[in-house]
Amino acid sequence: MLLAKTLRSSTFRLALIAIGTFGLIASAIFAYVYWSTASYVRSRADRTIMAEQAGLRDVYTRSGRDALIALIGQRVADKGFADHVYLLVGSGPVALAGNLTRWPDGAAEQGWSEFRSPVPSSVPANPLVRGVTETLARGDRLLVGSDISDLDGFTARIRAAAIAVIVLIFMLAAGASIGVTRRTVGRIESINATSRAIMLSGLDQRIPLRGSRDEWDRVAENLNLMLDRIQTLMGDVKQVGDNIAHDLRTPLTRMRGRLEKAYHGPRNGDNDAALIGDTIADLDTVLGMFASITRISAIETHARKDAFHTVNLVEIASEVVELYDAAAEQDATRLGLAGDPEVLMTGDRDLLFDAIGNLVDNAIKHGRAGGRVTVTCDNGEGGAVIAVADDGPGIAADQHDHVFKRFYRLERSRYTPGNGLGLSLVAAVASLHGARIELHDNAPGLLVRLCFPGH
């Protein structure tokens, strides 16, 4: 099963292409080595033959045919020239001198040629001879050659070695390709098996790691981290759904109760007006909740970056402080602004106003009655920084990562006013502006800092 998948895999096909390419390159290299070696050996033999031919020609030119016949006889008798081939013929086929009795088959009438021809027993039978034929001044033909059987055997050995090496390379490469592809397909099948298990049983499954710390282990780690993130997001979605259902049930139940009471009771103008007013208020709460969700979603899609321009964070913060000053006075809370006189940054003015407003509103609502809320704007080293601090009970450190989730509330009964979307909007605005949110213990109270990147 795994072998069949291995042979069908794209990795194996790519490996075969690589093997073929490498084989062609190796074949070309061996062919070049073979050709260059044979050419070098032949060139050396050719130089020796040409030198001998020139010497014999000079004797023929100076002293005539008889002197050349005598010299060829000396050469044939000399063991130092045992690997040479000589043949001098006149106008007919009869040999006048040399170690060949007749003109060999395959020998050219003029110029260079290679042929096999019987020679005396001093050299191997039917050796491969390379020779050159020249027609002398009086019509005689002189063939001078040399036994190149060693070259023939040498090139044959090179050819056989090249073929053997190429075949071995192909066999080893094919085996290695199958092994590597089999391992790759095995890891992919492990991921596929986990994916099928996840589709059948849920997000609790994880891809097993082999501890090799190779690229496949890194892929598996990243996929497992992605599955963890998906599982977390699915849990958040479920929690958001539960929270929405809980938050909507109360106002909808109140509206239904009022309408049912009005439906079964006698008509009364004042009571009906009060019922309609209360129902409208509950509907506004529900509609406000959905409007906040829609607004957060729109911000998270980064659809408002076209509205970015240079703004003064101090001016926005002062407007927020002025807006919430009356609400702070109702709780005897002192609301103040501190920091640098001008803090410039690039952003969406309306969204920044909403984010700062939500932080100030939360600080007033959840801070200590009669306490103090301070908004501070500074030019930090990395960019603009705005901080909102209160002296209330604060937030436990283990809740810092949860308070920015939609509909999340520290008060689990969910009967206090609010819908848990304020800090979610702050997080969305911060993400849109590339800002970092920091929560610190104000000892007592909470300090929230928005750190924006520099220009």
Side-chain angles (χ1 to χ4, degrees):
M1 182 68 176
L2 183 59
L3 179 59
K5 291 182 178 179
T6 299
L7 298 178
R8 291 196 304 267
S9 69
S10 60
T11 303
F12 184 68
R13 289 195 293 271
L14 290 174
L16 290 180
I17 294 174
I19 292 172
T21 303
F22 179 76
L24 290 175
I25 295 174
S27 300
I29 292 174
F30 280 114
Y32 173 75
V33 171
Y34 172 80
W35 174 82
S36 60
T37 302
S39 298
Y40 174 73
V41 174
R42 275 183 169 81
S43 65
R44 292 188 62 183
D46 290 351
R47 287 194 296 271
T48 302
I49 294 171
M50 291 175 66
E52 183 69 7
Q53 180 196 33
L56 296 176
R57 186 194 313 116
D58 289 344
V59 171
Y60 184 87
T61 302
R62 290 195 309 268
S63 305
R65 176 194 286 180
D66 294 337
L68 177 59
I69 292 173
L71 181 59
I72 291 176
Q74 294 176 6
R75 290 282 197 271
V76 171
D78 190 347
K79 293 182 179 180
F81 294 88
D83 60 344
H84 281 59
V85 173
Y86 300 95
L87 179 62
L88 177 66
V89 298
S91 57
V94 179
L96 300 177
N99 51 4
L100 296 178
T101 59
R102 60 180 176 83
W103 193 263
D105 297 333
E109 298 292 331
Q110 191 73 21
W112 290 94
S113 60
E114 291 183 8
F115 55 90
R116 293 189 179 274
S117 179
V119 294
S121 59
S122 58
V123 295
N126 296 324
L128 179 66
V129 176
R130 180 168 175 80
V132 61
T133 303
E134 181 184 8
T135 302
L136 301 176
R138 300 173 187 173
D140 297 331
R141 284 183 298 162
L142 174 63
L143 171 64
V144 179
S146 177
D147 179 11
I148 59 170
S149 297
D150 290 343
L151 171 63
D152 189 36
F154 177 67
T155 54
R157 286 193 294 272
I158 290 180
R159 185 167 56 250
I163 293 173
V165 169
I166 291 174
V167 171
L168 180 61
I169 288 174
F170 272 100
M171 292 177 62
L172 292 176
S177 299
I178 293 176
V180 172
T181 305
R182 186 182 181 90
R183 180 175 181 272
T184 301
V185 171
R187 299 301 296 269
I188 293 175
E189 279 301 303
S190 175
I191 295 175
N192 289 336
T194 304
S195 301
R196 289 191 292 269
I198 290 172
M199 288 186 286
L200 292 174
S201 60
L203 292 171
D204 294 333
Q205 300 290 330
R206 292 296 180 268
I207 301 171
L209 303 178
R210 297 188 178 181
S212 58
R213 306 301 302 171
D214 59 4
E215 65 278 5
W216 287 107
D217 259 13
R218 292 196 296 272
V219 169
E221 287 176 356
N222 290 333
L223 289 175
N224 288 338
L225 291 174
M226 182 181 68
L227 290 172
D228 292 339
R229 178 61 176 161
I230 292 173
Q231 190 172 27
T232 300
L233 292 175
M234 293 295 292
D236 291 344
V237 170
K238 181 180 181 301
Q239 184 65 40
V240 167
D242 294 342
N243 292 340
I244 290 177
H246 194 288
D247 287 347
L248 290 180
R249 184 171 61 241
T250 299
L252 292 177
T253 301
R254 286 200 301 262
M255 285 188 283
R256 187 186 186 285
R258 295 193 199 100
L259 293 174
E260 185 176 4
K261 181 179 179 181
Y263 177 77
H264 293 291
R267 301 275 72 78
N268 182 288
D270 292 338
N271 291 338
D272 291 348
L275 182 145
I276 292 172
D278 293 339
T279 302
I280 290 175
D282 285 336
L283 285 173
D284 287 341
T285 300
V286 174
L287 292 174
M289 183 186 304
F290 285 109
S292 297
I293 295 174
T294 304
R295 184 172 176 79
I296 292 172
S297 298
I299 295 172
E300 288 178 341
T301 58
H302 294 186
R304 296 195 51 161
K305 279 201 170 183
D306 293 339
F308 277 27
H309 59 276
T310 301
V311 296
N312 186 356
L313 205 57
V314 177
E315 290 182 0
I316 301 174
S318 64
E319 293 178 8
V320 172
V321 169
E322 183 179 353
L323 176 64
Y324 283 91
D325 188 56
E329 287 183 356
Q330 290 180 358
D331 294 334
T333 300
R334 291 165 293 170
L335 178 60
L337 179 65
D340 296 334
E342 183 179 71
V343 178
L344 299 179
M345 62 164 291
T346 302
D348 187 310
R349 192 181 195 284
D350 295 336
L351 293 181
L352 292 172
F353 182 91
D354 290 344
I356 299 171
N358 273 283
L359 292 177
V360 172
D361 183 55
N362 280 341
I364 294 172
K365 287 180 179 178
H366 303 292
R368 180 173 61 87
R372 182 174 184 82
V373 174
T374 303
V375 181
T376 306
C377 299
D378 291 313
N379 288 296
E381 294 182 359
V385 177
I386 184 166
V388 178
D390 64 66
D391 53 2
I395 299 176
D398 59 350
Q399 299 294 319
H400 286 182
D401 293 335
H402 301 289
V403 293
F404 294 100
K405 296 179 180 178
R406 297 182 189 182
F407 297 101
Y408 187 85
R409 296 199 210 171
L410 295 175
E411 189 272 306
R412 306 308 295 170
S413 65
R414 308 187 69 83
Y415 289 112
T416 56
N419 52 33
L421 292 173
L423 290 180
S424 298
L425 187 142
V426 173
V429 173
S431 176
L432 178 66
H433 290 79
R436 184 179 71 257
I437 305 178
E438 299 176 355
L439 274 66
H440 302 279
D441 185 4
N442 199 36
L446 179 69
L447 171 64
V448 182
R449 300 176 79 240
L450 291 181
C451 304
F452 296 92
H455 294 287

